[in-house]
Amino acid sequence: VEGLRELLNQKELRKRLGLAARARAEQQSWEKETESLLEVYRKTVREVAFNEHFGTDFNAEVWARIQGHADNFQSQPSGAIG
């Protein structure tokens, strides 16, 4: 309630907050939000698959190392040893 009173009484504060809100809204897009949400889903699926395969709790550090090795392997030309 006190915050609302402050907004009602301070025109410059309302203006500043309004401009900041508009700038923030302009930085957002449905595409960015959708991709962000999809990445959360992808990560969750990877974690569940990891846990089911290894029968253990997910360990982010170990998974990052595994992913790093997989990424390196996939980026090498056919027949390369890495």
Side-chain angles (χ1 to χ4, degrees):
V1 173
E2 192 61 39
L4 291 175
R5 283 190 191 130
E6 189 174 348
L7 282 174
L8 288 173
N9 294 326
Q10 295 187 31
K11 183 178 180 179
E12 286 302 314
L13 177 61
R14 286 194 312 270
K15 184 177 179 178
R16 191 174 71 240
L17 291 176
L19 290 172
R22 180 176 296 276
R24 173 82 171 133
E26 289 173 354
Q27 292 174 352
Q28 301 301 315
S29 72
W30 283 108
E31 292 80 15
K32 287 180 186 177
E33 295 302 316
T34 301
E35 187 55 40
S36 178
L37 183 58
L38 285 172
E39 186 54 35
V40 169
Y41 290 156
R42 289 180 193 118
K43 181 179 178 189
T44 302
V45 168
R46 288 191 303 261
E47 289 177 8
V48 168
F50 182 90
N51 288 339
E52 287 179 357
H53 182 75
F54 290 102
T56 184
D57 289 333
F58 176 74
N59 182 313
E61 184 179 339
V62 172
W63 180 251
R65 284 190 222 144
I66 291 169
Q67 283 299 102
H69 289 296
D71 292 343
N72 290 338
F73 177 75
Q74 291 172 357
S75 66
Q76 293 181 4
S78 179
I81 298 175

